[in-house]
Amino acid sequence: MNIDLTGKTALVTGSTQGIGLAIAQGLASTGARVVVNGRSRDRVDEAVAKIGGDAVGVAADVASADGAETLFGELPHVDVLVNNLGIFGAVPAREITDEQWRTYFEVNVLAAARLIRHYLPGMVERHWGRVLQIASDSAIVTPEEMIHYGVSKTALLALSRGFAKDAAGTGVTVNSVIAGPTHTAGVEEFVYQLVDQSLPWEKAQREFMRLHRPQSLIQRLIEPEEIANMVTYLASPLASATTGGALRVDGGYVDAILP
């Protein structure tokens, strides 16, 4: 496939590391002008340097209204919006506090809604745009060790479907990508919350998959670049007939035909 996003500006939130950085690199490889986002100026600058080319960075906490306004001031319009920002962590179900529920909703759901609300009108006016939410297998298979996270990712699927309907017939597509268990620094920390911390990483990963993600058909963690490949395709003109969907890059983890 020849994916060419030359002349398009793509914003990836939470893109200083992990899946977000891989997505930014993937979009940059297609010729897009990529905007890296994170809370720390130093980490944003480091990510921009890794990507190279026309990449630029905006340091702003888009999980807050003030941070989003900072972003909008520096970047009023985009052609591709990738809502990758998200937090996760294991908490026993009956110990999740009201404050934790609020925080997960504000970071994982409201931040995405806020950015869509700002950038979608310009895309509709230009008759072209791509909005993508990075969801999770936890949106469908709610994990007992982090229900609050799973609920927030389920909400992202509904958010995408609803805004896809809002953008119907405009040339703008809105989709979610359901990412399965993925190898990132944050996930390494999470794995060691659930398995013996004395185990070397390769053994710890296998033990985690065996005990906590046995449904995986690839029986390994997904690499961030594999998520980025799907996002890059969905952001391209080649995916013009795909909207309102929840596309899976889950290693076969979700035991269902749809989505």
Side-chain angles (χ1 to χ4, degrees):
M1 293 185 185
N2 180 23
I3 296 178
D4 186 1
L5 288 171
T6 302
K8 304 295 186 184
T9 296
L11 166 65
V12 185
T13 65
S15 49
T16 60
Q17 63 179 350
I19 294 172
L21 178 57
I23 291 170
Q25 291 171 319
L27 292 171
S29 72
T30 70
R33 173 179 174 261
V34 172
V35 182
V36 173
N37 164 252
R39 292 178 297 176
S40 165
R41 169 51 63 185
D42 288 344
R43 295 186 67 181
V44 167
D45 289 345
E46 288 174 8
V48 168
K50 288 179 182 177
I51 297 168
D54 295 329
V56 297
V58 177
D61 181 5
V62 297
S64 71
D66 289 344
E69 287 301 322
T70 297
L71 173 68
F72 300 153
E74 295 191 37
L75 188 69
H77 306 290
V78 301
D79 302 293
V80 178
L81 169 62
V82 182
N83 282 309
N84 170 72
L85 175 66
I87 56 174
F88 65 93
V91 182
R94 282 171 272 175
E95 296 177 17
I96 305 170
T97 65
D98 286 359
E99 185 59 31
Q100 287 171 320
W101 278 108
R102 291 189 190 96
T103 298
Y104 272 72
F105 179 80
E106 288 175 358
V107 176
N108 291 358
V109 184
L110 182 56
R114 184 183 290 122
L115 267 60
I116 296 171
R117 188 174 63 221
H118 178 82
Y119 288 118
L120 185 59
M123 296 180 186
V124 169
E125 185 177 333
R126 294 188 296 276
H127 304 292
W128 199 94
R130 300 286 184 266
V131 179
L132 294 157
Q133 280 61 250
I134 305 305
S136 165
D137 57 80
S138 296
I140 303 168
V141 184
T142 307
E144 62 179 312
E145 73 275 9
M146 47 180 184
I147 295 173
H148 54 328
Y149 172 75
V151 169
S152 71
K153 290 299 184 177
T154 303
L156 274 186
L157 302 187
L159 186 78
S160 295
R161 183 67 185 179
F163 274 108
K165 292 179 178 180
D166 180 64
T170 66
V172 179
T173 66
V174 186
N175 291 289
S176 294
V177 173
I178 298 175
T182 304
H183 182 197
T184 66
V187 168
E188 285 194 19
E189 293 178 7
F190 176 66
V191 166
Y192 278 119
Q193 290 180 32
L194 299 176
V195 302
D196 186 350
Q197 296 185 13
S198 68
L199 291 174
W201 168 246
E202 288 304 320
K203 288 186 178 179
Q205 175 184 184
R206 288 196 296 272
E207 186 73 354
F208 170 78
M209 297 300 287
R210 182 180 71 83
L211 294 175
H212 298 282
R213 301 293 185 269
Q215 306 97 313
S216 171
L217 300 184
I218 61 173
Q219 300 180 0
R220 63 170 174 83
L221 290 173
I222 298 162
E223 292 302 319
E225 293 75 17
E226 294 175 299
I227 309 296
N229 290 339
M230 176 66 83
V231 173
T232 300
Y233 165 70
L234 291 173
S236 77
L238 300 180
S240 55
T242 302
T243 191
L247 290 301
R248 289 164 53 183
V249 188
D250 67 341
Y253 174 77
V254 177
D255 192 14
I257 296 174
L258 291 173

